[in-house]
Amino acid sequence: MHNTRRIAEDVIYVGASDRRLALFENVYPIERGVSYNSYVVLDEKTVLLDTADHSVSREFLENVEAALQGRTLDYLVVNHMEPDHCAVIAEIVLRYPDVKIVGNQKTLQMIKQFYTFDADSRAVIVKDGDTLSTGKHSFTFVFAPMVHWPEVMVAFDSSNGFLFSADAFGTFGALAGNIYADELDFEGEWLDDARRYYINIVGKYGVQVMNTLKKAAALPIKMILPLHGPIWRENIGWFISKYQTWASYVPEEKGLLIVYSSIYGNTANAVDVLAAAAAGKGVKNIHIYDASKTDVSVLVSECFRYSTIVFASPTYNAEIFPKMEMLLIELKAHAFQNRDAAVIENGSWALSAGRKISEMLSSMKDVRVIAPVLSIKSSLKEEQMPLVEEMAEALARSIKG
Ligand SMILES: Cc1cc2nc3c(=O)[nH]c(=O)nc-3n(C[C@H](O)[C@H](O)[C@H](O)COP(=O)(O)O)c2cc1C
Ligand SMILES: [Fe+2]
Ligand SMILES: [Fe+2]
């Protein structure tokens, strides 16, 4: 049975959600599932904007058929060629053999890489800023390279102000009937996943995201229709400002994030002592994570969120503990920058984790280590409390200004 929703008289939601998949892109845990959005526009010509992932192809194809109400499909707009959105293209071509595929030169090249059907004969190649009229509707294509992949573009329908934004403004989380952000407790229930999605999927490309936001600012946007998660028709400026914060690598909140690794519990004890000392100096908004317990995608997202971060790790075979090392590698890979940091190391014979963490932090842009490295030999001792207090003081200055 199809499951569509009408967004406007002639615009229909034909996407579907997957609550079964454990790891998005086989790496990001998605406890709350994920939706693959897709949209049909019924104009003089019919239009489908992107397809969906294989996992939801049955429901998606049923939805498309129902939305078309017996008409054929004239245009498939391919804003993004990643398989979570392009997986059903070949099937669409089989079902609607006259369909024209709208994309840019890079899109066409990727279609030919992923598929063997004759794409050239049905391709409508657009350049940045080109417009496609389908009758009442008129779609302007704005290129958004690296707002996830190089071929990405967004489509702005100037007849109704709808921005089909591809992966931009998407989020993890399956939909449940309600498809609009204003029907949900977005800030309470969705924002953490939206941040984790953005930071991990496109966080590295802040400059390109800012460029796209600048182009979008010139458009009279009434609705944002992303490829994942709810549609935005109210409070659009609030969500765009979140993107501006994330894309410009500015901390979202003044707050203390402490991420530690610990085998036997002594490093964990030290960070608890540090957190209490910081709280004693009036610091609020303190968060502690064990890097072995919490998925690295959450940790990366939290590092982007807070202003001030402590990294604490035992020395492990003369290296940083692997889970902590993974976090640092991932932060570097996501162009993490512009934060205050402090480092705690532990070891029972030859300590090197502190130096190695400091080296990794210094390879990132504007990550400022604001206190001397606190070195613990097996367990924190009373005589080290002045050093803990000194670190807590520096953290409090960073947060309270
Ligand atoms: C597999 C393994 C390798 C280790 N390698 C080192 C090392 O190279 N240098 C060192 O000083 N301590 C090393 N240690 C010891 C721990 O770093 C040390 O006991 C530390 O105090 C543990 O802190 P924790 O109580 O927070 O787990 C190693 C421990 C393990 C289990
Ligand atoms: Fe993508
Ligand atoms: Fe996607």
Side-chain angles (χ1 to χ4, degrees):
M1 173 65 188
H2 71 268
N3 177 27
T4 59
R5 275 202 67 185
R6 196 166 285 278
I7 297 168
E9 200 198 322
D10 49 5
V11 182
I12 299 157
Y13 178 88
V14 294
S17 286
D18 185 349
R19 298 176 191 85
R20 187 169 180 173
L21 183 69
L23 299 175
F24 184 79
E25 288 185 4
N26 219 2
V27 57
Y28 304 114
I30 43 167
E31 285 290 310
R32 301 173 57 253
V34 65
S35 79
Y36 304 101
N37 301 342
S38 172
Y39 307 93
V40 161
V41 177
L42 297 172
D43 204 359
E44 280 167 36
K45 300 285 184 189
T46 57
V47 186
L48 174 65
L49 290 115
D50 288 298
T51 69
D53 191 74
H54 259 307
S55 60
V56 298
S57 61
R58 258 189 13 183
E59 188 173 347
F60 165 73
L61 287 163
E62 234 177 316
N63 288 350
V64 172
E65 192 180 334
L68 288 172
Q69 298 166 30
R71 296 177 63 184
T72 188
L73 182 63
D74 297 307
Y75 290 111
L76 166 63
V77 172
V78 180
N79 280 329
H80 186 14
M81 266 306 289
E82 192 173 12
D84 57 333
H85 309 293
C86 81
V88 196
I89 290 185
E91 181 66 26
I92 288 287
V93 167
L94 276 177
R95 289 181 177 222
Y96 307 99
D98 296 327
V99 69
K100 295 256 183 273
I101 298 182
V102 184
N104 55 55
Q105 206 55 256
K106 285 185 181 146
T107 323
L108 182 65
Q109 188 191 325
M110 283 195 192
I111 291 176
K112 292 190 213 166
Q113 287 172 198
F114 279 104
Y115 296 112
T116 51
F117 68 79
D118 172 21
D120 284 312
S121 67
R122 60 180 72 251
V124 177
I125 299 295
V126 296
K127 293 192 291 301
D128 191 15
D130 277 1
T131 291
L132 172 78
S133 175
T134 57
K136 198 177 124 217
H137 294 259
S138 173
F139 299 91
T140 302
F141 301 99
V142 178
F143 287 14
M146 296 324 292
V147 182
H148 196 202
W149 276 21
E151 84 298 354
V152 171
M153 55 186 198
V154 300
F156 181 70
D157 183 346
S158 55
S159 76
N160 53 15
F162 287 14
L163 178 69
F164 297 90
S165 64
D167 274 342
F169 304 108
T171 172
F172 297 131
L175 295 173
N178 297 122
I179 57 170
Y180 300 103
D182 55 87
E183 296 174 324
L184 310 164
D185 176 8
F186 194 88
E187 194 164 0
E189 286 181 18
W190 288 74
L191 181 59
D192 285 349
D193 259 346
R195 182 188 305 106
R196 188 166 66 95
Y197 170 85
Y198 169 82
I199 301 297
N200 285 280
I201 305 282
V202 276
K204 181 180 172 59
Y205 301 106
V207 173
Q208 289 87 340
V209 173
M210 285 305 273
N211 286 339
T212 305
L213 290 175
K214 273 182 211 132
K215 287 188 192 174
L219 303 170
I221 298 169
K222 295 238 168 54
M223 221 187 264
I224 296 181
L225 303 95
L227 288 175
H228 304 281
I231 295 165
W232 290 81
R233 60 181 178 184
E234 285 175 19
N235 236 350
I236 293 177
W238 175 82
F239 200 37
I240 290 179
S241 77
K242 286 287 175 200
Y243 260 63
Q244 273 159 345
T245 301
W246 298 332
S248 53
Y249 303 98
V250 174
E252 201 177 335
E253 293 173 32
K254 286 277 186 187
L256 176 56
L257 173 66
I258 304 176
V259 188
Y260 70 90
S261 290
S262 188
I263 310 149
Y264 315 114
N266 295 292
T267 312
N269 168 255
V271 305
D272 277 327
V273 172
L274 175 67
K281 294 179 191 311
V283 176
K284 292 178 191 142
N285 206 12
I286 306 177
H287 305 268
I288 302 180
Y289 287 96
D290 180 336
S292 295
K293 173 82 185 291
T294 304
D295 187 76
V296 69
S297 70
V298 175
L299 300 176
V300 169
S301 177
E302 291 289 86
C303 285
F304 270 72
R305 179 174 179 182
Y306 295 109
S307 59
T308 311
I309 303 156
V310 176
F311 299 91
S313 173
T315 306
Y316 198 76
N317 297 325
E319 298 289 339
I320 305 166
F321 192 76
K323 298 284 185 180
M324 178 61 66
E325 189 175 29
M326 179 52 74
L327 169 61
L328 292 159
I329 291 169
E330 284 286 295
L331 286 174
K332 171 90 180 161
H334 288 84
F336 181 69
Q337 52 189 274
N338 185 30
R339 293 295 187 283
D340 287 344
V343 179
I344 298 175
E345 66 173 346
N346 196 348
S348 290
W349 58 93
L351 287 68
S352 59
R355 178 174 52 79
K356 297 204 165 188
I357 294 172
S358 301
E359 280 167 11
M360 289 185 79
L361 293 177
S362 69
S363 76
M364 300 172 201
K365 193 176 166 218
D366 294 333
V367 174
R368 303 162 290 265
V369 176
I370 57 168
V373 173
L374 175 61
S375 293
I376 301 167
K377 292 220 167 98
S378 299
S379 67
L380 185 67
K381 294 295 184 304
E382 191 60 46
E383 57 265 29
Q384 291 185 292
M385 278 312 288
L387 296 172
V388 172
E389 289 293 331
E390 188 188 335
M391 185 177 276
E393 191 59 50
L395 298 170
R397 267 198 308 275
S398 161
I399 292 156
K400 300 200 303 176

